[in-house]
Every structure is written in C-alpha cells, then in structure tokens.
Amino acid sequence: MKYIEVERKFALTEPDKIKQELEERGGEHGPAVRQVDTYYNAPHRDFLAPAVVSEWLRLRETDNGASVNYKRWHPEDAEIKTHCDEYETAVEDIEALRRTLLALAFTKLVTVNKIREEWTIPGEVAVAFDTVASAGDFVEFEFKGEAGSAEEAVALLQKFIDGLDVSLGDRINRGYPHMLLGREC
C-alpha cells in the first residue's frame, strides 16, 4: 500500500516484553537512531486551524540522512484517525529545503526530538520504540504487509497487536507534534 500509512501508538509500559515477543516472531531490529523532526505550517492553509488537525509537513534529520514528509489523515474530521496518505522522500540538502520553505513563508510549528529503535517483522509490521523529549516513551506499530484497502490493513494490524502476549499501555490517538503543542486532536 504505497503512499498509505496505517499505524497504532501506545504508551510504552513493558518494552522488554514486547521486544521478546517480537524476537519470538522472527523480528529484526536496528540500532537506536536520533530523529529530529521539524514541523511546518503552510502560508496558504493553516494546518492548526481546524478543530481536528488532519495534516502535517515535516522535515526529518537523522545520522543516516534526511527526508521530507507530508501526511493527511482520514477520516479528516474524526478525532480518531484510521490511516493517512503519506508522501515521503529523501532529501539531499536539508538546509536548502529548510531555506526554501522559509522563503515561501512556511513557518516552523514545533520540533520533535526523539530516539527511535526500529524492529521489523518482515512482510507484516514495523515497530518503533520512541523516547520523545518532553513527551515520554511510546511504541508504534505500522502495517507493512499486503492489503487491498486501508480498512483491510487496519484490521490486519489490529489482529497483529491483539495477538501479542503482552500488556500494552493506553492507546494514543495523537501525534508527537500534537502532544508538544498541547493539542488533544
């Protein structure tokens, strides 16, 4: 499902148990990586104006490179989103892109600074363990398998999560920028 993201986020309560369960399912993990995500607002459309934020523009910087990302969540007016359109691509010169956005009157909204450890169950899910500065610890499950629709992907991801033999923390229905900006939705 290229260009569609389906994920679920939870407060992290038992990381070692989740990692053990992932290992038992053939999970593979990479090293922890620092990600600095800077979110921007558009001059032609205020992303924060709606009661429920449904889109973001983000620049991400890591030790391994940089990317630009745009997300638009669905259903747009619902507080709890099921999936999003996601367009992301690598950026060769992040400073040039940052200057371009500022020259076009985009404004910086918030910066999310986190350490992320990613695990994958090939063909099924990606699991990210995030420690977010000023927000806390979280685990995100993202669908990476084959599905005919966003609804099917949501169901398959939920089945995977329900099949874990661990207790997850509270489900979080807002993104890290929401949290740092004090937005509930």
Side-chain angles (χ1 to χ4, degrees), residues 46-114:
D46 184 359
F47 296 159
L48 299 178
V52 178
V53 174
S54 291
E55 59 186 331
W56 290 121
L57 177 67
R58 177 196 80 207
L59 299 185
R60 172 171 286 165
E61 298 173 78
T62 74
D63 295 335
N64 303 324
S67 64
V68 60
N69 176 291
Y70 171 80
K71 291 185 183 187
R72 183 174 202 90
W73 289 278
H74 304 284
E76 285 185 35
D77 295 331
E79 285 188 30
I80 297 176
K81 310 296 188 182
T82 59
H83 65 285
C84 71
D85 300 324
E86 179 179 48
Y87 312 119
E88 184 168 17
T89 192
V91 172
E92 183 175 322
D93 186 340
I94 192 76
E95 184 58 28
L97 183 53
R98 185 180 355 268
R99 289 172 183 243
T100 300
L101 291 176
L102 294 175
L104 294 172
F106 281 72
T107 55
K108 181 178 157 184
L109 289 171
V110 66
T111 298
V112 176
N113 189 341
K114 67 180 177 278

Side-chain angles (χ1 to χ4, degrees), residues 120-135:
T120 58
I121 307 269
E124 289 187 57
V125 298
V127 181
F129 295 88
D130 291 334
T131 298
V132 181
S134 302

Side-chain angles (χ1 to χ4, degrees), residues 53 62 99 147 149-150 166 172 179:
V53 174
T62 74
R99 289 172 183 243
S149 67
V166 295
I172 309 296
M179 294 175 196

